[in-house]
Amino acid sequence: MASSTAPSLSVLAALLLSLGIILVLPQLVLCVATMTHSEGQENFDPSLSTPALTHEYQVFVSFRGADIRTGFKSHFFAALNHERIGAYRDDIDLPRGEEIGPELLKAIETSRIAVVVFSKNYATSDWCLDELMKIMECKRLLNQRVLPIFYDVSQSEVLEQKGIFAEALLKGPEDKINNWRAALTEAADLVGLHLEHYSLESEFIEEIVENIWTMLNEEESASAPSRRQIDVSGQHSEPIISPQNDASSRHNVISEWTPFFFFFK
């Protein structure tokens, strides 16, 4: 009798053990999968899939030197410097021995805002028009902000390429004229500032700088919270510290499944 009972107990024990494993195994698999997913999320680097553009400058200014270099341009850059707005300067930032074209194109790409100063002889410079084409390309592809400035020219002259703008384009190479026209039209159609609306050039420059501050503030608000915030008034506020990532969520997940690990000890 005892000999027949022993196998029965063994079979019963085996059945119970099998039942326990069947009940616990799905939970264990879920636990391991959850931990693996959590670790994968923690180690995931978004920059590996979507590289972030590095901005070296806050402002790039496109201008015709012959029109504004010794007057408006010098006062404008002085105002930007006074407000600690980092602007690209071709006479300072351009490395010696570098080709002008590629270096300036790189400066445009790595600037947050492009300020285009349309003056009477802007369209007489092939290089200014090439700059403008690059700026509008960056606006479309990189969401670069563009602020047109109409200095002693009307918006309609640039928008419709009338007067000196029409004359200048007629002298350009045929393979570029259409692209230049498109860039001029697109840029001039944006909201900009007009010198004729101000009695003093100093007031005009002050208004431009205030608009740049506003645009920078909007850019900073939309970027990573750890970056330094910029106030429209020109004052730098305290940087916002982003919360540090911790392992609390992963710890909670592991804690939920701790009894199952102890079950197998």
Side-chain angles (χ1 to χ4, degrees):
M1 186 70 176
S3 59
S4 62
T5 304
S8 299
L9 292 175
S10 299
V11 172
L12 181 60
L15 290 173
L16 291 175
L17 180 59
S18 300
L19 182 60
I21 293 176
I22 291 174
L23 292 174
V24 173
L25 185 59
Q27 306 293 347
L28 177 61
V29 172
L30 179 60
C31 173
V32 174
T34 303
M35 291 177 59
T36 303
H37 175 73
S38 177
E39 290 180 356
Q41 291 290 339
E42 181 176 305
N43 295 328
F44 175 70
D45 185 0
S47 63
L48 296 179
S49 60
T50 308
L53 180 67
T54 300
H55 292 102
E56 297 184 16
Y57 308 99
Q58 291 175 304
V59 176
F60 179 91
V61 184
S62 177
F63 62 92
R64 184 71 168 101
D67 289 340
I68 67 170
R69 185 179 298 278
T70 59
F72 173 84
K73 180 250 185 179
S74 60
H75 296 148
F76 178 45
F77 275 97
L80 292 175
N81 184 63
H82 181 267
E83 295 297 334
R84 299 182 180 180
I85 297 176
Y88 178 82
R89 296 282 300 272
D90 57 353
D91 55 341
I92 296 176
D93 298 319
L94 190 63
R96 297 289 183 180
E98 293 285 345
E99 294 183 10
I100 294 179
E103 182 62 28
L104 286 179
L105 294 178
K106 179 183 176 182
I108 294 173
E109 291 179 351
T110 57
S111 296
R112 292 185 178 278
I113 300 171
V115 176
V116 182
V117 183
F118 290 117
S119 56
K120 291 186 179 299
N121 293 297
Y122 184 90
T124 63
S125 168
D126 291 2
W127 182 242
C128 283
L129 294 173
D130 285 343
E131 273 186 355
L132 182 62
M133 286 174 52
K134 182 64 176 181
I135 288 171
M136 301 317 295
E137 176 186 297
C138 289
K139 179 183 182 297
R140 292 189 299 269
L141 301 180
L142 304 177
N143 294 319
Q144 186 178 72
R145 304 291 296 274
V146 180
L147 177 62
I149 304 298
F150 301 97
Y151 185 88
D152 278 345
V153 295
S154 66
Q155 183 176 7
S156 62
E157 284 181 89
V158 185
L159 185 64
E160 302 172 15
Q161 292 95 58
K162 298 186 299 185
I164 192 171
F165 281 82
E167 296 174 8
L169 289 175
L170 290 175
K171 299 177 182 178
E174 293 184 2
D175 59 330
K176 286 188 174 183
I177 290 179
N178 288 336
N179 291 330
W180 284 348
R181 287 186 182 279
L184 286 166
T185 300
E186 185 180 358
D189 198 36
L190 299 173
V191 177
L193 297 174
H194 306 252
L195 176 60
E196 61 187 16
H197 295 166
Y198 299 85
S199 57
L200 297 175
E201 192 170 284
S202 59
E203 295 177 354
F204 184 45
I205 292 175
E206 182 180 350
E207 183 68 18
I208 297 172
V209 174
E210 287 181 0
N211 273 264
I212 292 174
W213 270 120
T214 300
M215 297 169 76
L216 287 173
N217 186 57
E218 293 172 353
E219 288 288 317
E220 290 291 333
S221 298
S223 63
S226 60
R227 293 185 179 180
R228 190 177 185 86
Q229 297 293 307
I230 303 178
D231 187 8
V232 178
S233 64
Q235 299 295 324
H236 294 270
S237 61
E238 291 299 322
I240 298 176
I241 306 300
S242 58
Q244 298 295 320
N245 294 328
D246 54 42
S248 59
S249 58
R250 184 175 63 173
H251 174 73
N252 292 336
V253 172
I254 295 175
S255 299
E256 292 176 2
W257 303 112
T258 300
F260 293 101
F261 287 106
F262 281 113
F263 178 83
F264 286 98
K265 285 187 177 180

